[in-house]
Amino acid sequence: MIRHYLQVAFRVLFKNKTFSVLNIAGLAMGLAVFTIIMLWIKNEMSFDRFHDGKDRIAEVMTNQEMSDKEIQTYPAVPSNLAPALKKDIAGIEYAARVSWGDTRLLSLDNKGFVEYGLFVDNDFLKMFSFPLIIGDKENALKEPHTILLSEKLAKKYFGDQDPLGKQLTVEKNYSCKVIGVFKEVPNNSTIKFDYLMPFQDYVDFAMGGMENWTINNIKTFVKLRPGVDMAGVSSQVKLITQRYTDQQPHASLWLWKLDDWYLRFDFKKGQYGGGGRIVYVRLFFIIAIFILLLACINFMNLSTARATQRAKEVGVRKVTGAGRRSLITQFLSESILIAFIAGIFALFLVQLALPPLNTFLRTELKIPFGNIPQISVYIAIVTITGILAGSYPAWVLSAFRPVKVLKAFKLTNDSHTAWIRKSLVVAQFTISVLLIIGTLVVSKQIDYIQNKNLGINREHLIWFPNNIPTEKGETAYQEFMKVPGVVSVSRASMTFTGANNRGTKVSWQGKNDGEEIFFNFLAADQDIIKTMGIEMKEGRSFSRSYSTDTAAFILNEEAVKRMRLKDPVGQEIELYSGKGKIVGVAKDFHFESLHTPVGPMIIECRPDWTWVFYVRTDGKNTAETIKGLEKVYTGFAPGYTLDYGFQDKEYERLYRTETKVSMLVNWFAFFAIFISCLGLLGLTTFTIERKVKEIGIRKALGASEGHIVSLISKQFLALVLIAILIASFPAWYYMNEWLNQYAYRYSINGWLFVIAGGTVLIVAGITIGIQAIRAAWIKPVESLRSE
């Protein structure tokens, strides 16, 4: 019986080649898009899930409540916290301090490379599943001046030799002994590093050997004992800082569980605010389901459109004894066969699409051919798709009444199903309009971000790490200025794409008792304002002509506003670094993502606290200018390479996720429209076949071809207009919700809806028009031959 069903199914496929190609193409495209999205979602959901006991791992976060009840959330905590947590809270098994991520010059035999790594406590190795290939995890990183290398670095420095016990020079200052090699960190890890060194070395090197409870300057991770409740420990952690100091009365701690690190990093009012990458995961999951549904709807409409050609077949089968159940089985067999053929083509399309997609997304997505459970899931999805796509046509075709279809060769009792087909077309184009409007809004927001005046001139601006010794900094500055093409040079303590030094310890005249403002601090040299292209509102910028400027400050407008200062220039304020006078007020400039409003900023003239150089060029011969900069740089920092970047590219990196989403939604909108048009093609064909004699009679009575085209087209274009109206409000509502995550955003206007609706109407009109014109060209003698 199964063999018979398959034989008939193959005959039908080859008999109706155009119909079969359209059905297979629509399903294959839908399954391919669905598969790609699900592979991406699987990769997104896999981040950090490879750690043993992942449900017990968390990062300690700080909530800092300001005097205006605003709450700032960040991962910085005191360096003393980790030992205190292990001592005071029984439910914590491991606690590790971790640096923010450090680049260090590692040298061997006078050959050096700048590498990226972390300084960590020994508990870090016990907490996370970063296995050692060589070395003792239990005792690693307890001794100072030791280092663990990744497989890649071990191979890079020592080749095939055993690296254990070998010496590397760090920053040309001291030697460290290689005590082990760890496996490469997986791509789906939020914690990245190529080497690990003892945290005590970081205390000695970067913190001057000083640790205290008043400064939040490092990260801390904990792992709970088995069976311990995360929420319970989080409540115990909350006020532990106040046990050891009275200098942080408004700081509270909480545990951010590992499952949320990658997907849920949006914080509002001291807790998760509902944003982060999980929003895009949910969005694309919905799109994947919609695309697959569109493909199924397309299959239904195309199948019912060809139903008149199978009416006689159904009548004959029923007369010869076939029951409705066997007919349904036959038609479902055909749809499942088409689905499996489409499924095979879909895998082929996915395999072709993954290499460029992986390059664009910077991922390593691949089809898990060797994973039997996952392939089984794919087969199940294809089977369900075939059943879902074929169920409605099977129900319609199997319901034909033999007497009527054999007598009149036409479909009967179709009026009660017409609304279903039309509803499916409306649903298809509603989804398409939603995607088009979403695409336009995302694109407009990206354009708005890229073209917004940030208060900084990012054109022809190069930056690179400052590895030049502090005492040679001023001389190096003078030499950089001599390089042809250099307009100005400055040193800074941030990259202007995210603040990295914040605090509340600021005093000024008129400050109320207990008043706290969360300031951003920028250390820089005298040319920071000029080099970055920041405009001054009042006062002056720093100058080498004033030796006292090393104790001077420049505030931005937001700082002046929050401090309620009148005539701020000349007033004295006090920071953790000491007292000084305000010499100028800069206009507000963006130093973080546009997701965040401009915060209060205090700029200090402290070149000795900087770690990055900024160089503005004339943009005429950038390659030669970079060569000149590199020559000066390597002269002052031998062993280092000039690892430079362009500031405009850094801003692009800030919004890389949005850019990727915009591009993907563009493609998905295209596929949605294409598949929807196939469905519309099916319904148009179906209607024309039912009205072929009516069209013939109208032409015989003198109707023009234009009248026939208009008669056929208007009812379908009405369906598309209904879809546009249905889609408009939810599109406006949800895209406004998405835009609300930005402090600075594009305002949606009506033209977007006109463009989206017009695009869909034009594409649908072309699809309908082609079929309508073909119908209008049919000669009446051909359509009325049997009458």
Side-chain angles (χ1 to χ4, degrees), residues 512-553:
N512 297 324
D513 292 339
E515 183 177 8
E516 286 192 337
I517 298 173
F518 205 56
F519 289 95
N520 300 275
F521 301 112
L522 167 62
D525 68 4
Q526 292 85 347
D527 291 310
I528 190 65
I529 300 297
K530 174 185 175 182
T531 302
M532 301 308 297
I534 300 170
E535 292 186 43
M536 295 296 293
K537 182 180 180 180
E538 56 183 296
R540 62 176 178 83
S541 61
F542 300 132
S543 172
R544 286 177 171 77
S545 301
Y546 296 92
S547 59
T548 55
D549 272 4
T550 53
F553 306 108

Side-chain angles (χ1 to χ4, degrees), residues 58 60-61 85 88-89 92 222 224 228-243 251-256:
V60 184
M61 303 291 288
L85 290 174
D88 294 354
I89 300 177
I92 294 178
V222 298
L224 309 187
V228 174
D229 178 55
M230 180 77 70
V233 174
S234 188
S235 64
Q236 296 178 59
V237 167
K238 184 176 181 179
L239 298 178
I240 192 171
T241 307
Q242 283 73 28
R243 297 183 192 176
S252 61
L253 308 179
W254 57 283
L255 300 184
W256 185 28

Side-chain angles (χ1 to χ4, degrees), residues 277-384:
R277 295 183 70 90
I278 190 65
V279 173
Y280 296 115
V281 170
R282 292 168 181 160
L283 170 66
F284 282 116
F285 178 74
I286 293 171
I287 291 175
I289 297 298
F290 279 166
I291 293 289
L292 193 58
L293 283 176
L294 287 178
C296 292
I297 292 170
N298 167 67
F299 183 98
M300 294 176 188
N301 281 334
L302 284 174
S303 296
T304 52
R306 309 300 301 179
T308 53
Q309 295 185 2
R310 304 195 66 179
K312 186 176 180 180
E313 174 193 340
V314 172
V316 171
R317 283 177 176 273
K318 282 198 169 184
V319 168
T320 57
R324 188 173 185 183
R325 181 176 179 180
S326 66
L327 288 171
I328 289 174
T329 304
Q330 173 64 53
F331 293 129
L332 285 179
S333 299
E334 293 174 14
S335 66
I336 292 172
L337 176 63
I338 290 174
F340 268 92
I341 295 174
I344 294 171
F345 276 104
L347 291 178
F348 176 72
L349 291 174
V350 172
Q351 196 71 5
L352 287 178
L354 283 183
L357 192 64
N358 281 330
T359 300
F360 174 67
L361 295 177
R362 300 187 179 187
T363 57
E364 294 182 355
L365 305 181
K366 58 183 179 181
I367 302 173
F369 287 113
N371 191 314
I372 301 301
Q374 293 185 29
I375 291 297
S376 300
V377 169
Y378 179 76
I379 293 172
I381 290 171
V382 171
T383 304
I384 293 170

Side-chain angles (χ1 to χ4, degrees), residues 622-752:
T622 304
E624 288 301 317
T625 301
I626 291 174
K627 286 182 180 178
L629 293 172
E630 186 172 19
K631 183 178 180 181
V632 174
Y633 183 82
T634 53
F636 282 94
Y640 287 93
T641 56
L642 185 69
D643 186 14
Y644 64 91
F646 294 92
Q647 191 67 14
D648 53 354
K649 298 298 181 183
E650 290 302 306
Y651 283 104
E652 289 178 13
R653 181 185 58 80
L654 269 182
Y655 308 106
R656 187 177 293 156
T657 296
E658 286 85 351
T659 303
K660 291 177 181 178
V661 168
S662 176
M663 184 70 71
L664 291 175
V665 173
N666 276 330
W667 279 106
F668 296 150
F670 166 78
F671 290 131
I673 293 174
F674 181 81
I675 295 172
S676 296
C677 286
L678 286 179
L680 189 60
L681 176 67
L683 187 57
T684 308
T685 305
F686 176 82
T687 302
I688 290 172
E689 287 182 350
R690 289 180 63 244
K691 294 180 178 290
V692 65
K693 289 184 173 60
E694 177 188 337
I695 293 170
I697 293 170
R698 286 179 179 274
K699 290 197 71 176
L701 294 176
S704 67
E705 292 178 347
H707 176 75
I708 299 298
V709 171
S710 174
L711 181 71
I712 295 171
S713 300
K714 64 183 181 182
Q715 59 177 309
F716 299 113
L717 292 179
L719 296 178
V720 178
L721 283 171
I722 291 171
I724 293 170
L725 292 175
I726 293 173
S728 295
F729 177 75
W732 173 84
Y733 176 80
Y734 286 110
M735 292 318 298
N736 263 304
E737 287 293 303
W738 179 76
L739 287 170
N740 283 338
Q741 67 179 306
Y742 293 90
Y744 307 91
R745 46 163 287 183
Y746 165 78
S747 296
I748 299 176
N749 60 54
W751 281 108
L752 285 182

Side-chain angles (χ1 to χ4, degrees), residues 766-780:
I766 293 172
T767 304
I768 297 166
I770 292 172
Q771 288 297 99
I773 291 170
R774 288 178 60 190
W777 283 348
I778 298 175
K779 295 178 180 179

Side-chain angles (χ1 to χ4, degrees), residues 582-598:
I582 301 171
V583 297
V585 177
K587 289 186 177 181
D588 283 339
F589 57 92
H590 291 274
F591 48 87
E592 291 186 279
S593 161
L594 291 182
H595 289 85
T596 307
V598 174

